[in-house]
Amino acid sequence: MSATIVVGGFYGDEGKGKITAYLGLKDDYSIAVRVGSVNAGHTVVYGGRRWKLRLIPSAFINPNTRLRLALGSLIRLDVLWRELEETKCSGRLRIDYRAGVIEQRHREQELRDEFLVKVVGTTGQGVGAAMADRVMRKLKLAKDYAELRGYIGDVVGELLEAVERGEKILLEGTQGFYLSLLHGEYPYVTSRDTTASAVLSEAGLGPKHAGEIIVVFKSYVTRVGGGPLPGELSEEEAAKRGWLEIATVTGRKRRAAPFNYELARRAVRVNSATQIAVTKLDVLFPKAKGKRRWEELPVEARNWIERVEEELKTPVTLIGTGEEVLDTIDRRREVYGP
Ligand code: IMP
Ligand code: MG
């Protein structure tokens, strides 16, 4: 078997947390891995509770799944302890011993950097500064911290053995294609590549290990921080349409624009998507709210999804119709058969 990879197709905040949690619950992966770092917040709403996760894999809601942080990820101890407390999954978590650790000085360094703060609009979490230290070979790794001794291990070795044994694993990407250090509009980007290939590499797996590659789009586009946003609406117009969101990590207002086929097409092609997930369909079509079956969707909503499939030449297999993880239409049987 192989790895299912979930990545964002726009500027982050597409709802990867919700989609990943849904897959984790329904598909019973033996291992779920999260890459990236604490600048990315993934929201999971399930069983009447809400979590805002910056490190722990969103699939933690499945108690049978082992949780892993990748060797390419960057962790922060305070965030880790807080999330372990909130998710109660301490016994299931392991961190690759080569994962990097962000220190207070990294955050201070970013917040002192006027270009990063004012022009790029960094989340100020120290991720870029820590990444730069990794490149300069000055970063401390998880294995250097006594507090982490009970959590570290060879996650790469474990993932290789799992795929070789035929187990299913889930790789949760962070941020979106257009925030990629390589593919986004430099310098208005984050400090890592955000593509499916990079997710594999951050987890320590190879191209042959990729199975399904799911690119997540929201039914409209949002962006926080600086940089271009094609078709950007005024704040008033965004609010009127119900598209004005508040960022998970920084509490800033997100800028908003209509769904963009041209952006989506490039994201689908570079990620070599095999499936598309669309979230927040209920924001575009309020009558879609909470629907869990394709047939229950209003016809305009179905037409809209079918146009996305046609334009992007890729099946839309998962559709989010509300915040709750189970408010999801799963068309995978219909598309691929039982
Ligand atoms: P940094 O990666 O925190 O330095 O932020 C660089 C740029 O990427 C800024 O415009 C941030 O708003 C944006 N960014 C970083 N992570 C996320 C995310 O998870 N969601 C949305 N935007 C992000
Ligand atoms: Mg987010």
Side-chain angles (χ1 to χ4, degrees), residues 28-48:
D28 253 328
Y29 295 91
S30 62
I31 306 179
V33 187
R34 192 181 139 154
V35 303
S37 189
V38 294
N39 45 0
H42 289 186
T43 303
V44 176
V45 178
Y46 178 64

Short mmCIF file of all heavy atoms in Angstrom, two decimals, residues 28-48:
data_model
loop_
_atom_site.label_atom_id
_atom_site.label_comp_id
_atom_site.label_asym_id
_atom_site.label_seq_id
_atom_site.Cartn_x
_atom_site.Cartn_y
_atom_site.Cartn_z
N ASP A 28 -9.09 4.63 8.42
CA ASP A 28 -8.29 3.86 9.37
C ASP A 28 -6.83 3.70 8.97
O ASP A 28 -6.36 2.58 8.75
CB ASP A 28 -8.91 2.47 9.56
CG ASP A 28 -9.60 2.37 10.91
OD1 ASP A 28 -9.11 3.02 11.85
OD2 ASP A 28 -10.62 1.66 11.01
N TYR A 29 -6.11 4.78 8.87
CA TYR A 29 -4.68 4.71 8.56
C TYR A 29 -3.94 4.20 9.80
O TYR A 29 -4.31 4.54 10.92
CB TYR A 29 -4.15 6.10 8.19
CG TYR A 29 -4.77 6.61 6.92
CD1 TYR A 29 -5.93 7.37 6.93
CD2 TYR A 29 -4.20 6.31 5.68
CE1 TYR A 29 -6.52 7.82 5.77
CE2 TYR A 29 -4.78 6.75 4.50
CZ TYR A 29 -5.94 7.50 4.55
OH TYR A 29 -6.52 7.92 3.39
N SER A 30 -2.91 3.40 9.59
CA SER A 30 -2.16 2.95 10.77
C SER A 30 -1.33 4.10 11.33
O SER A 30 -1.15 4.21 12.53
CB SER A 30 -1.30 1.74 10.44
OG SER A 30 -0.34 2.06 9.48
N ILE A 31 -0.84 4.97 10.43
CA ILE A 31 -0.01 6.10 10.88
C ILE A 31 -0.46 7.37 10.18
O ILE A 31 -0.72 7.37 8.96
CB ILE A 31 1.49 5.87 10.55
CG1 ILE A 31 1.98 4.53 11.11
CG2 ILE A 31 2.34 7.02 11.07
CD1 ILE A 31 3.44 4.24 10.80
N ALA A 32 -0.55 8.47 10.92
CA ALA A 32 -0.78 9.79 10.32
C ALA A 32 0.41 10.68 10.67
O ALA A 32 0.84 10.74 11.82
CB ALA A 32 -2.07 10.39 10.87
N VAL A 33 0.93 11.35 9.65
CA VAL A 33 2.12 12.19 9.83
C VAL A 33 1.77 13.62 9.48
O VAL A 33 1.10 13.87 8.47
CB VAL A 33 3.25 11.76 8.85
CG1 VAL A 33 4.54 12.51 9.15
CG2 VAL A 33 3.46 10.27 8.88
N ARG A 34 2.23 14.56 10.29
CA ARG A 34 2.09 15.96 9.88
C ARG A 34 3.46 16.53 9.59
O ARG A 34 4.43 16.25 10.30
CB ARG A 34 1.38 16.79 10.95
CG ARG A 34 0.98 18.16 10.39
CD ARG A 34 0.30 19.05 11.39
NE ARG A 34 0.83 20.40 11.20
CZ ARG A 34 0.19 21.50 11.51
NH1 ARG A 34 -1.01 21.47 12.04
NH2 ARG A 34 0.75 22.67 11.30
N VAL A 35 3.54 17.33 8.53
CA VAL A 35 4.79 18.01 8.18
C VAL A 35 4.62 19.49 8.52
O VAL A 35 3.60 19.91 9.07
CB VAL A 35 5.13 17.82 6.68
CG1 VAL A 35 5.23 16.35 6.32
CG2 VAL A 35 4.12 18.53 5.79
N GLY A 36 5.60 20.31 8.18
CA GLY A 36 5.49 21.76 8.37
C GLY A 36 5.67 22.15 9.82
O GLY A 36 6.34 21.47 10.59
N SER A 37 5.04 23.26 10.19
CA SER A 37 5.32 23.78 11.52
C SER A 37 4.17 24.61 12.10
O SER A 37 3.06 24.60 11.58
CB SER A 37 6.61 24.60 11.48
OG SER A 37 7.02 24.95 12.78
N VAL A 38 4.49 25.32 13.18
CA VAL A 38 3.48 26.00 13.99
C VAL A 38 2.92 27.27 13.37
O VAL A 38 2.00 27.88 13.94
CB VAL A 38 4.05 26.35 15.39
CG1 VAL A 38 4.34 25.09 16.19
CG2 VAL A 38 5.32 27.21 15.27
N ASN A 39 3.44 27.71 12.21
CA ASN A 39 2.81 28.86 11.55
C ASN A 39 1.48 28.46 10.91
O ASN A 39 0.67 29.31 10.55
CB ASN A 39 3.75 29.50 10.52
CG ASN A 39 4.45 28.50 9.62
OD1 ASN A 39 4.24 27.29 9.76
ND2 ASN A 39 5.28 28.98 8.73
N ALA A 40 1.26 27.17 10.74
CA ALA A 40 0.03 26.68 10.11
C ALA A 40 -0.93 26.13 11.16
O ALA A 40 -0.57 25.27 11.96
CB ALA A 40 0.36 25.60 9.10
N GLY A 41 -2.15 26.64 11.16
CA GLY A 41 -3.16 26.16 12.12
C GLY A 41 -4.22 25.34 11.40
O GLY A 41 -4.80 25.79 10.43
N HIS A 42 -4.45 24.12 11.85
CA HIS A 42 -5.48 23.27 11.26
C HIS A 42 -6.63 23.09 12.26
O HIS A 42 -6.40 22.68 13.40
CB HIS A 42 -4.90 21.90 10.88
CG HIS A 42 -3.98 21.98 9.70
ND1 HIS A 42 -3.42 20.88 9.10
CD2 HIS A 42 -3.53 23.05 9.01
CE1 HIS A 42 -2.68 21.28 8.08
NE2 HIS A 42 -2.72 22.59 8.01
N THR A 43 -7.83 23.40 11.81
CA THR A 43 -8.98 23.34 12.72
C THR A 43 -9.74 22.03 12.52
O THR A 43 -10.03 21.64 11.40
CB THR A 43 -9.92 24.55 12.46
OG1 THR A 43 -9.15 25.74 12.62
CG2 THR A 43 -11.09 24.56 13.43
N VAL A 44 -10.03 21.38 13.64
CA VAL A 44 -10.81 20.14 13.60
C VAL A 44 -12.01 20.31 14.53
O VAL A 44 -11.85 20.62 15.71
CB VAL A 44 -9.95 18.93 14.08
CG1 VAL A 44 -10.79 17.65 14.14
CG2 VAL A 44 -8.76 18.73 13.15
N VAL A 45 -13.21 20.13 13.98
CA VAL A 45 -14.43 20.20 14.79
C VAL A 45 -15.10 18.84 14.73
O VAL A 45 -15.47 18.36 13.65
CB VAL A 45 -15.40 21.28 14.23
CG1 VAL A 45 -16.69 21.32 15.05
CG2 VAL A 45 -14.74 22.65 14.21
N TYR A 46 -15.19 18.19 15.90
CA TYR A 46 -15.68 16.82 15.89
C TYR A 46 -16.29 16.48 17.24
O TYR A 46 -15.72 16.83 18.28
CB TYR A 46 -14.50 15.86 15.59
CG TYR A 46 -14.88 14.41 15.60
CD1 TYR A 46 -15.78 13.89 14.66
CD2 TYR A 46 -14.35 13.54 16.55
CE1 TYR A 46 -16.13 12.56 14.67
CE2 TYR A 46 -14.70 12.20 16.56
CZ TYR A 46 -15.59 11.71 15.62
OH TYR A 46 -15.94 10.40 15.62
N GLY A 47 -17.45 15.84 17.20
CA GLY A 47 -18.10 15.39 18.43
C GLY A 47 -18.38 16.54 19.39
O GLY A 47 -18.24 16.38 20.61
N GLY A 48 -18.73 17.72 18.84
CA GLY A 48 -19.05 18.86 19.68
C GLY A 48 -17.84 19.58 20.26
O GLY A 48 -17.97 20.45 21.10
#
